[in-house]
Amino acid sequence: MKKKYETPLLDELEKGPWPSFVTEMKKDAQKSDIANDGLGQLEKSFRTKRGYWKHGGIVGVLGYGGGVIGRYSSLPEEFPGVAHNHTVRINQPSGWFYTTKALREICDIWDKYGSGLTNLHGSTGDLVLLGTRTENLEAIFAEYSSRGWDLGGSGSAMRTPSCCVGPARCEWANIDTLDITYVLTQEFQDELHRPAFPYKFKIKTAGCAVDCVAAIARADLSIIGTWKGRIQIDQNEVQNYAKKGMNINAEIVNMCPTQCISYDGKTLKIDDVECSRCMHCIAKMTKALRPTGEKGATILVGSKAPIVVGSLLSWVIVPFIKAEPPYTELKALIHKIIEWWDENAKPRERIGEVIEIKGMRSFLEYIGVPPHPSQVKFPRKDPFIFFKDEDFEKVYKKGKY
Ligand code: SF4
Ligand code: SF4
């Protein structure tokens, strides 16, 4: 007979119209000691305002260094169900597409060895399975891997690459985000499973700058689909938007970040040379505007959530790179970027922080990418671009000044 916990504080989290993890844990507690004692320990934490999880150190499966996040209760006698409470990360399919059969398979294995509680999806993208014991880990891995699943990344490693649904469902995709993510996941298998980096490294791929996967804010390396040609304009559709009540000047022209759109009440014009491919106008006037010409990707580097230093958004490093199979150029660039970071970072420094410390110049020189105006965040007061005396001498010799 399971101990029944009184949970007046957790019960507060069931109020309101939104789904509640407490409700789900209570359902699961009918059959799982992990969920039941998890509720008991959490209620106690809320009451005493103290956490009772110990960091689990290194816990994993043979041959892998990552994929399992170890966690133990510091009150194992009081809450034996969560004495071990490890989290297992499963590498999600590109774009998070599953069949119901695949989801049932995942849940059945998890019911057999773990709490039954899942978190779809963790912020890196993995399918997260919450709560199991150390002695179950090898069996869990054997069952999942025999059915074609693999563990995701954790710790100081390449984290599981993720992407938006891209061309599978979205007409704005400029690149095949699903294929890129699959190929990069295969390319970096060793880096994913065997943590050897200074800290985590995340790759996210979005089909366009709408960035549904929040790469620009959260990935160390973002691959964003873009285009080289003009934005094709259907003026009749522009008029239809106006007739339906869209204030084109307020909602489109004034919102263009580079101020390259004009509208005189009849004709919409775009100065494509000045367009930064931000997607705002296209996303608002889907029927009237469409990218044309060669498609590829912009590579950005350096974003992260606030951990050691504050949060960072990415910098554009390469404005346009081909993103077609076999992705030779893209893969070589990513290897170079990681190599520079691995050589220069102290433990727990993300690549954005190292660029701030070492300077954009040494980074660009190492990866062999020439300076470009798109890499400058704040023209004229950018702290990363420093000139050496030889640079000026070269210019003087060419007689430009
Ligand atoms: Fe579509 Fe762009 Fe969102 Fe990807 S990021 S799903 S291509 S709108
Ligand atoms: Fe302006 Fe963005 Fe539209 Fe380009 S894509 S024209 S920058 S709003």
Short mmCIF file of all heavy atoms in Angstrom, two decimals, residues 333-366:
data_model
loop_
_atom_site.label_atom_id
_atom_site.label_comp_id
_atom_site.label_asym_id
_atom_site.label_seq_id
_atom_site.Cartn_x
_atom_site.Cartn_y
_atom_site.Cartn_z
N LEU A 333 33.00 24.05 -41.98
CA LEU A 333 32.94 25.30 -41.20
C LEU A 333 32.61 25.01 -39.73
O LEU A 333 33.24 25.55 -38.81
CB LEU A 333 31.89 26.24 -41.81
CG LEU A 333 31.69 27.55 -41.07
CD1 LEU A 333 32.89 28.47 -41.25
CD2 LEU A 333 30.42 28.26 -41.54
N ILE A 334 31.65 24.14 -39.50
CA ILE A 334 31.26 23.84 -38.11
C ILE A 334 32.42 23.17 -37.36
O ILE A 334 32.70 23.51 -36.21
CB ILE A 334 29.98 22.96 -38.07
CG1 ILE A 334 28.82 23.70 -38.71
CG2 ILE A 334 29.63 22.58 -36.63
CD1 ILE A 334 27.55 22.89 -38.87
N HIS A 335 33.13 22.26 -38.03
CA HIS A 335 34.29 21.63 -37.39
C HIS A 335 35.32 22.69 -36.98
O HIS A 335 35.86 22.65 -35.88
CB HIS A 335 34.94 20.61 -38.33
CG HIS A 335 34.26 19.27 -38.30
ND1 HIS A 335 34.35 18.43 -37.23
CD2 HIS A 335 33.47 18.65 -39.21
CE1 HIS A 335 33.65 17.32 -37.48
NE2 HIS A 335 33.10 17.43 -38.67
N LYS A 336 35.57 23.66 -37.87
CA LYS A 336 36.56 24.71 -37.58
C LYS A 336 36.11 25.56 -36.39
O LYS A 336 36.90 25.91 -35.51
CB LYS A 336 36.69 25.63 -38.81
CG LYS A 336 37.76 25.20 -39.78
CD LYS A 336 39.09 25.66 -39.25
CE LYS A 336 40.23 25.48 -40.20
NZ LYS A 336 41.51 25.39 -39.49
N ILE A 337 34.83 25.92 -36.39
CA ILE A 337 34.29 26.77 -35.31
C ILE A 337 34.45 26.06 -33.96
O ILE A 337 34.91 26.65 -32.98
CB ILE A 337 32.80 27.11 -35.61
CG1 ILE A 337 32.72 28.10 -36.78
CG2 ILE A 337 32.10 27.66 -34.37
CD1 ILE A 337 31.32 28.37 -37.29
N ILE A 338 34.10 24.79 -33.94
CA ILE A 338 34.19 24.04 -32.68
C ILE A 338 35.65 23.89 -32.25
O ILE A 338 35.97 24.00 -31.07
CB ILE A 338 33.50 22.66 -32.84
CG1 ILE A 338 31.99 22.87 -32.96
CG2 ILE A 338 33.81 21.75 -31.66
CD1 ILE A 338 31.20 21.63 -33.25
N GLU A 339 36.52 23.67 -33.24
CA GLU A 339 37.95 23.51 -32.94
C GLU A 339 38.49 24.76 -32.23
O GLU A 339 39.18 24.66 -31.22
CB GLU A 339 38.67 23.34 -34.27
CG GLU A 339 39.85 22.42 -34.29
CD GLU A 339 40.27 22.22 -35.75
OE1 GLU A 339 41.03 23.07 -36.29
OE2 GLU A 339 39.83 21.23 -36.34
N TRP A 340 38.15 25.94 -32.76
CA TRP A 340 38.64 27.20 -32.16
C TRP A 340 38.12 27.36 -30.73
O TRP A 340 38.87 27.70 -29.81
CB TRP A 340 38.18 28.39 -33.02
CG TRP A 340 38.64 29.72 -32.46
CD1 TRP A 340 39.84 30.33 -32.66
CD2 TRP A 340 37.90 30.59 -31.59
NE1 TRP A 340 39.90 31.51 -31.97
CE2 TRP A 340 38.73 31.70 -31.30
CE3 TRP A 340 36.63 30.53 -31.02
CZ2 TRP A 340 38.32 32.75 -30.49
CZ3 TRP A 340 36.22 31.58 -30.19
CH2 TRP A 340 37.06 32.67 -29.94
N TRP A 341 36.84 27.07 -30.56
CA TRP A 341 36.24 27.20 -29.23
C TRP A 341 36.89 26.22 -28.24
O TRP A 341 37.28 26.59 -27.13
CB TRP A 341 34.74 26.94 -29.36
CG TRP A 341 34.02 26.77 -28.06
CD1 TRP A 341 33.88 27.68 -27.06
CD2 TRP A 341 33.33 25.60 -27.62
NE1 TRP A 341 33.15 27.16 -26.03
CE2 TRP A 341 32.79 25.89 -26.35
CE3 TRP A 341 33.09 24.34 -28.19
CZ2 TRP A 341 32.04 24.95 -25.63
CZ3 TRP A 341 32.34 23.41 -27.48
CH2 TRP A 341 31.83 23.72 -26.21
N ASP A 342 37.05 24.97 -28.67
CA ASP A 342 37.62 23.93 -27.82
C ASP A 342 39.05 24.29 -27.39
O ASP A 342 39.46 24.04 -26.26
CB ASP A 342 37.61 22.61 -28.61
CG ASP A 342 37.73 21.40 -27.71
OD1 ASP A 342 37.55 21.55 -26.50
OD2 ASP A 342 38.00 20.31 -28.23
N GLU A 343 39.80 24.92 -28.32
CA GLU A 343 41.19 25.31 -28.02
C GLU A 343 41.24 26.47 -27.04
O GLU A 343 42.17 26.59 -26.25
CB GLU A 343 41.89 25.77 -29.32
CG GLU A 343 42.26 24.66 -30.27
CD GLU A 343 43.38 23.78 -29.69
OE1 GLU A 343 44.37 24.35 -29.22
OE2 GLU A 343 43.22 22.55 -29.70
N ASN A 344 40.27 27.38 -27.11
CA ASN A 344 40.39 28.65 -26.40
C ASN A 344 39.53 28.80 -25.15
O ASN A 344 39.77 29.70 -24.35
CB ASN A 344 40.05 29.80 -27.36
CG ASN A 344 41.14 30.00 -28.39
OD1 ASN A 344 42.21 30.52 -28.06
ND2 ASN A 344 40.90 29.57 -29.61
N ALA A 345 38.53 27.96 -24.99
CA ALA A 345 37.59 28.16 -23.87
C ALA A 345 38.10 27.58 -22.57
O ALA A 345 38.76 26.53 -22.56
CB ALA A 345 36.24 27.52 -24.22
N LYS A 346 37.79 28.26 -21.49
CA LYS A 346 37.99 27.68 -20.16
C LYS A 346 36.75 26.83 -19.86
O LYS A 346 35.71 27.01 -20.51
CB LYS A 346 38.10 28.79 -19.12
CG LYS A 346 39.34 29.64 -19.27
CD LYS A 346 39.56 30.38 -17.95
CE LYS A 346 40.52 31.49 -18.15
NZ LYS A 346 39.89 32.79 -18.22
N PRO A 347 36.83 25.94 -18.86
CA PRO A 347 35.63 25.15 -18.55
C PRO A 347 34.42 26.04 -18.29
O PRO A 347 34.53 27.06 -17.63
CB PRO A 347 36.03 24.37 -17.28
CG PRO A 347 37.52 24.29 -17.36
CD PRO A 347 37.98 25.56 -18.03
N ARG A 348 33.30 25.64 -18.83
CA ARG A 348 32.00 26.31 -18.68
C ARG A 348 31.91 27.65 -19.41
O ARG A 348 31.09 28.50 -19.06
CB ARG A 348 31.59 26.45 -17.22
CG ARG A 348 31.31 25.10 -16.58
CD ARG A 348 30.89 25.21 -15.14
NE ARG A 348 29.54 25.76 -14.99
CZ ARG A 348 28.43 25.06 -15.14
NH1 ARG A 348 28.49 23.79 -15.48
NH2 ARG A 348 27.26 25.61 -14.95
N GLU A 349 32.76 27.85 -20.41
CA GLU A 349 32.60 29.05 -21.25
C GLU A 349 31.97 28.64 -22.58
O GLU A 349 32.51 27.77 -23.28
CB GLU A 349 33.95 29.72 -21.52
CG GLU A 349 34.37 30.66 -20.43
CD GLU A 349 35.76 31.26 -20.66
OE1 GLU A 349 36.44 30.91 -21.64
OE2 GLU A 349 36.16 32.08 -19.83
N ARG A 350 30.87 29.28 -22.91
CA ARG A 350 30.22 29.03 -24.20
C ARG A 350 30.96 29.82 -25.27
O ARG A 350 31.68 30.79 -24.97
CB ARG A 350 28.74 29.45 -24.15
CG ARG A 350 27.92 28.76 -23.09
CD ARG A 350 27.43 27.40 -23.53
NE ARG A 350 26.37 27.44 -24.52
CZ ARG A 350 25.07 27.46 -24.24
NH1 ARG A 350 24.68 27.47 -22.97
NH2 ARG A 350 24.16 27.46 -25.20
N ILE A 351 30.72 29.47 -26.54
CA ILE A 351 31.51 30.08 -27.61
C ILE A 351 31.28 31.60 -27.69
O ILE A 351 32.21 32.36 -27.95
CB ILE A 351 31.25 29.38 -28.98
CG1 ILE A 351 32.27 29.91 -30.00
CG2 ILE A 351 29.83 29.58 -29.45
CD1 ILE A 351 32.33 29.09 -31.27
N GLY A 352 30.07 32.06 -27.40
CA GLY A 352 29.80 33.51 -27.45
C GLY A 352 30.66 34.26 -26.45
O GLY A 352 31.17 35.35 -26.74
N GLU A 353 30.83 33.67 -25.28
CA GLU A 353 31.66 34.32 -24.25
C GLU A 353 33.12 34.35 -24.69
O GLU A 353 33.82 35.33 -24.47
CB GLU A 353 31.53 33.56 -22.93
CG GLU A 353 30.18 33.76 -22.29
CD GLU A 353 29.80 32.64 -21.32
OE1 GLU A 353 30.38 31.55 -21.39
OE2 GLU A 353 28.91 32.88 -20.52
N VAL A 354 33.58 33.26 -25.32
CA VAL A 354 34.99 33.20 -25.75
C VAL A 354 35.23 34.22 -26.85
O VAL A 354 36.29 34.87 -26.89
CB VAL A 354 35.37 31.77 -26.20
CG1 VAL A 354 36.85 31.70 -26.53
CG2 VAL A 354 35.05 30.77 -25.10
N ILE A 355 34.26 34.41 -27.74
CA ILE A 355 34.43 35.44 -28.79
C ILE A 355 34.53 36.81 -28.13
O ILE A 355 35.35 37.65 -28.52
CB ILE A 355 33.28 35.38 -29.82
CG1 ILE A 355 33.37 34.07 -30.63
CG2 ILE A 355 33.32 36.59 -30.75
CD1 ILE A 355 32.20 33.83 -31.56
N GLU A 356 33.73 37.04 -27.11
CA GLU A 356 33.81 38.34 -26.42
C GLU A 356 35.18 38.54 -25.77
O GLU A 356 35.72 39.64 -25.76
CB GLU A 356 32.73 38.43 -25.34
CG GLU A 356 31.37 38.78 -25.89
CD GLU A 356 30.42 39.27 -24.81
OE1 GLU A 356 30.47 38.72 -23.71
OE2 GLU A 356 29.67 40.22 -25.09
N ILE A 357 35.73 37.46 -25.21
CA ILE A 357 37.01 37.57 -24.49
C ILE A 357 38.18 37.66 -25.47
O ILE A 357 39.04 38.52 -25.37
CB ILE A 357 37.19 36.35 -23.55
CG1 ILE A 357 36.12 36.40 -22.44
CG2 ILE A 357 38.59 36.35 -22.92
CD1 ILE A 357 35.92 35.08 -21.72
N LYS A 358 38.20 36.77 -26.45
CA LYS A 358 39.37 36.68 -27.36
C LYS A 358 39.26 37.64 -28.55
O LYS A 358 40.26 37.91 -29.21
CB LYS A 358 39.50 35.26 -27.92
CG LYS A 358 39.73 34.20 -26.89
CD LYS A 358 41.20 34.07 -26.57
CE LYS A 358 41.40 33.14 -25.41
NZ LYS A 358 42.77 33.13 -24.91
N GLY A 359 38.06 38.06 -28.87
CA GLY A 359 37.90 38.97 -29.99
C GLY A 359 37.43 38.26 -31.24
O GLY A 359 37.84 37.14 -31.54
N MET A 360 36.53 38.96 -31.96
CA MET A 360 35.99 38.41 -33.20
C MET A 360 37.10 38.20 -34.23
O MET A 360 37.06 37.27 -35.02
CB MET A 360 34.93 39.37 -33.74
CG MET A 360 34.23 38.93 -34.98
SD MET A 360 33.24 37.46 -34.70
CE MET A 360 31.71 38.14 -34.14
N ARG A 361 38.12 39.07 -34.17
CA ARG A 361 39.17 38.99 -35.18
C ARG A 361 39.89 37.64 -35.13
O ARG A 361 40.06 36.98 -36.15
CB ARG A 361 40.17 40.13 -34.99
CG ARG A 361 41.28 40.02 -35.99
CD ARG A 361 42.26 41.17 -35.89
NE ARG A 361 43.07 41.10 -37.07
CZ ARG A 361 43.35 42.13 -37.83
NH1 ARG A 361 42.89 43.31 -37.52
NH2 ARG A 361 44.09 41.98 -38.89
N SER A 362 40.31 37.21 -33.91
CA SER A 362 41.07 35.95 -33.85
C SER A 362 40.16 34.78 -34.24
O SER A 362 40.60 33.82 -34.85
CB SER A 362 41.68 35.77 -32.46
OG SER A 362 40.78 35.17 -31.58
N PHE A 363 38.88 34.90 -33.91
CA PHE A 363 37.93 33.85 -34.28
C PHE A 363 37.81 33.74 -35.81
O PHE A 363 37.94 32.67 -36.40
CB PHE A 363 36.57 34.15 -33.65
CG PHE A 363 35.46 33.24 -34.08
CD1 PHE A 363 35.50 31.89 -33.79
CD2 PHE A 363 34.35 33.74 -34.77
CE1 PHE A 363 34.47 31.04 -34.19
CE2 PHE A 363 33.33 32.90 -35.17
CZ PHE A 363 33.39 31.55 -34.88
N LEU A 364 37.61 34.89 -36.45
CA LEU A 364 37.42 34.87 -37.91
C LEU A 364 38.69 34.41 -38.62
O LEU A 364 38.64 33.68 -39.60
CB LEU A 364 37.02 36.26 -38.41
CG LEU A 364 35.63 36.75 -37.99
CD1 LEU A 364 35.37 38.15 -38.52
CD2 LEU A 364 34.53 35.80 -38.46
N GLU A 365 39.85 34.87 -38.10
CA GLU A 365 41.11 34.46 -38.74
C GLU A 365 41.26 32.94 -38.67
O GLU A 365 41.64 32.31 -39.64
CB GLU A 365 42.30 35.13 -38.03
CG GLU A 365 42.52 36.54 -38.56
CD GLU A 365 43.63 37.29 -37.83
OE1 GLU A 365 44.20 36.74 -36.86
OE2 GLU A 365 43.89 38.43 -38.22
N TYR A 366 40.92 32.35 -37.54
CA TYR A 366 41.10 30.90 -37.38
C TYR A 366 40.16 30.12 -38.30
O TYR A 366 40.56 29.15 -38.93
CB TYR A 366 40.87 30.48 -35.93
CG TYR A 366 41.20 29.04 -35.70
CD1 TYR A 366 42.50 28.65 -35.40
CD2 TYR A 366 40.23 28.05 -35.85
CE1 TYR A 366 42.83 27.32 -35.23
CE2 TYR A 366 40.54 26.71 -35.70
CZ TYR A 366 41.84 26.35 -35.38
OH TYR A 366 42.16 25.02 -35.23
#
